Amino acid sequence: QVQLVESGGDLVQPGGSLRLTCAASGFTFRHFSLKWYRQAPGKEREYVAYISTTGSTNYNDFLKDRFTISRDNDENMVYLQMNNLQPNDTAMYYCNVKILWTDYFGQGTQVTVSS
């Protein structure tokens, strides 16, 4: 079955960086685009970034200068490099794939930005 496993979240100081990883299985990875979302406590889930099957990318306008999405089709991995992290980046970060009409999410990885 489709499985997405996020990792790499941590507690980091403002201005720091993190690289999140999403390991995918259960589908033909190279045939699907993927996204990252995040959800802060008490807030709705927010779109972060998208990567197509060919590597084209799109970002939340408020994040595109600091975040970079990438993928490795040989390893079935998608990454999110996050730089200059700020306290309002604190959230659970989720990997997403849509297959036919179904959205799949992983369990998420927690990013906390605090001094």
Side-chain angles (χ1 to χ4, degrees):
Q1 72 276 21
V2 174
Q3 190 170 16
L4 301 169
V5 180
E6 301 93 337
S7 61
D10 204 347
L11 170 63
V12 62
Q13 292 189 345
S17 297
L18 283 175
R19 187 195 196 203
L20 305 184
T21 297
C22 173
S25 61
F27 62 100
T28 308
F29 182 82
R30 66 183 182 276
H31 289 174
F32 292 89
S33 59
L34 296 109
K35 296 179 181 178
W36 284 96
Y37 286 86
R38 68 183 186 182
Q39 188 166 19
K43 295 188 176 181
E44 294 188 355
R45 187 173 289 169
E46 177 183 35
Y47 165 73
V48 175
Y50 158 94
I51 188 164
S52 74
T53 57
T54 59
S56 298
T57 58
N58 180 270
Y59 297 91
N60 179 319
D61 283 342
F62 295 103
L63 304 174
K64 62 183 178 181
D65 293 333
R66 300 186 293 120
F67 289 15
T68 303
I69 189 172
S70 60
R71 66 189 293 162
D72 184 336
N73 287 341
D74 292 329
E75 298 292 332
N76 288 6
M77 296 281 199
V78 62
Y79 305 100
L80 185 68
Q81 176 68 40
M82 306 185 295
N83 299 325
N84 191 22
L85 285 161
Q86 300 302 316
N88 59 5
D89 293 317
T90 295
M92 188 74 81
Y93 284 72
Y94 298 91
C95 182
N96 162 257
V97 65
K98 186 168 187 174
I99 300 174
L100 295 178
W101 297 276
T102 302
D103 271 304
Y104 296 90
F105 293 87
Q107 83 291 345
T109 187
Q110 178 66 42
V111 172
T112 303
V113 185
S114 175
S115 55

